[in-house]
Amino acid sequence: MENQQTPTIQDVARLAGVSTGTVSRVLNQRPGVHPETRTRVLEVVARLGYVPMQAARELTGKGDTVGILLAPGVRRYIPYFVLLFEHLSEALWQAGLRLEETPTDPAGLPLRPAKGYILLGAHDHDPRLEALAQAGTPHVLVGVYPGAFWVAPDDEGGAYAATRHLLELGHREVAHLTGQPQHQAGRERLRGYRQALEAYQVPYRPELVLDGDFSTLTAYRVVRKAWEGGLRFSALFAASDEMAVGALAALEDLGQRVPQDVSLVGYDDLPEVGEQLTTVRQDIAEIARTAARLLKEALTGVRPYGVRVPVRLVVRGTTCLKEVGG
């Protein structure tokens, strides 16, 4: 470098044209980085002579590893979790901690010790929370759990806003693609959908709720099967962008135009997945920063509390006014 200051991770990220989270993933040999990007980052690291502070901490025995625990049955490499992992990695790096995915037993309990844990895939009667609490191990749940440190998006409010948007466009036959109702996100988004229907005095119809399993392929199959079986709706709220993409493909294959025939709303606003959709935007980076902050507080013995992160509706081209007589 032109100056003689010690290079930083920000210097590496800037010269490589990536985020600091991506640099962290490369240096910690984690998946989810394109080979060309990995090579470019390593070339910049070598050129700058960058020595990660985390590596220095580990050499002096002061490294703090944070384990990430996914609930049983949760798919690891869906776009939402890949993006969340990257933001968590960056946020924890800035906090002097290193993130790594931890092997688990069938109940989702860790098989490798760590300074603390971040738990993903919140669901009812989660044994991970009770076990970690009994062991006195600091942990943060991305989800909601009274008595623990937790952070979660306003899923109920986001689903309400999405459904209200469709109702205000004149739609009354509004279907909902839910996902894994045993998990909190799916259940809260279903609740927000039902609350919006109630607020607008639209009867709740169970047959209009389709289980898409938070999967693009499953969403495609259930929407196509329902439509071919005679179910009709003029609007659809999907509880994730991935399911919305599957629904969009199914509707197009069925000869239905989006949004002229069926308006469609997703949830998450994922890059390259939801960028063409009307959708509910989660601030995934803020969720990650909050999780890192809460874990630092958990490590110092602060009394547990939870944080709700706001969401907002982003209107794009997949929703429109219901056609008269349509």
Side-chain angles (χ1 to χ4, degrees):
M1 298 182 65
E2 294 182 0
N3 58 40
Q4 299 301 310
Q5 295 180 352
T6 301
T8 67
I9 189 172
Q10 288 81 7
D11 295 327
V12 176
R14 176 174 51 80
L15 292 176
V18 298
S19 70
T20 55
T22 297
V23 176
S24 174
R25 294 179 71 82
V26 171
L27 295 175
N28 288 290
Q29 300 180 1
R30 288 193 297 278
V33 180
H34 192 280
E36 292 182 1
T37 302
R38 188 180 299 275
T39 298
R40 185 167 71 251
V41 169
L42 292 175
E43 288 175 348
V44 172
V45 168
R47 186 166 78 247
L48 295 181
Y50 172 67
V51 178
M53 289 299 296
Q54 182 61 37
R57 292 190 188 97
E58 290 173 348
L59 288 172
T60 58
K62 297 180 181 179
D64 287 335
T65 297
V66 175
I68 189 163
L69 303 177
L70 280 83
V74 172
R75 291 175 293 129
R76 286 163 167 72
Y77 298 117
I78 63 174
Y80 174 82
F81 281 135
V82 171
L83 187 60
L84 181 58
F85 288 167
E86 178 168 333
H87 284 299
L88 280 171
S89 179
E90 179 172 359
L92 290 165
W93 182 282
Q94 297 295 335
L97 301 167
R98 182 168 63 89
L99 180 68
E100 66 176 30
E101 189 173 346
T102 304
T104 59
D105 65 16
L109 300 176
L111 297 175
R112 181 185 300 159
K115 187 77 171 180
Y117 296 96
I118 292 178
L119 285 61
L120 306 180
H123 60 89
D124 295 333
H125 313 298
D126 194 326
R128 300 173 300 170
L129 290 156
E130 182 177 353
L132 292 174
Q134 289 181 349
T137 304
H139 58 280
V140 174
L141 175 70
V142 179
V144 180
Y145 194 85
F149 284 99
W150 60 265
V151 55
D154 182 10
D155 282 323
E156 195 171 302
Y160 184 95
T163 309
R164 179 183 63 193
H165 172 64
L166 295 170
L167 294 168
E168 290 182 343
L169 290 172
H171 299 280
R172 289 301 177 265
E173 295 175 325
V174 180
H176 177 47
L177 262 174
T178 187
Q180 302 176 345
Q182 73 275 21
H183 289 281
Q184 288 182 1
R187 189 171 61 252
E188 290 195 358
R189 293 170 197 180
L190 174 59
R191 188 157 58 237
Y193 161 80
R194 295 192 63 169
Q195 288 176 349
L197 293 179
E198 182 179 357
Y200 282 77
Q201 299 181 331
V202 175
Y204 170 70
R205 295 170 52 192
E207 69 272 19
L208 286 175
V209 177
L210 309 173
D211 187 356
D213 195 37
F214 283 128
S215 161
T216 300
L217 180 58
T218 301
Y220 176 91
R221 287 172 173 168
V222 299
V223 169
R224 181 154 191 163
K225 181 179 179 180
W227 194 274
E228 290 177 337
L231 186 68
R232 292 293 181 266
F233 44 86
S234 67
L236 173 65
F237 163 48
S240 75
D241 287 343
E242 285 189 88
M243 290 194 294
V245 169
L248 177 62
L251 291 166
E252 289 178 344
D253 286 352
L254 290 162
Q256 302 303 305
R257 301 167 301 164
V258 175
Q260 295 91 338
D261 298 321
V262 179
S263 283
L264 178 64
V265 179
Y267 201 107
D268 290 328
D269 197 25
L270 296 174
E272 300 180 10
V273 177
E275 58 189 15
Q276 303 301 321
L277 295 168
T278 294
T279 189
V280 176
R281 176 176 294 167
Q282 288 197 61
D283 191 340
I284 299 175
E286 180 59 24
I287 291 171
R289 287 191 293 268
T290 303
R293 174 173 57 81
L294 291 175
L295 187 58
K296 289 288 285 187
E297 294 186 28
L299 289 168
T300 61
V302 173
R303 184 181 180 86
Y305 65 99
V307 177
R308 282 282 188 186
V309 176
V311 300
R312 69 182 182 90
L313 181 71
V314 181
V315 178
R316 298 193 181 103
T318 57
T319 54
C320 70
L321 287 168
K322 186 179 186 297
E323 295 182 359
V324 177

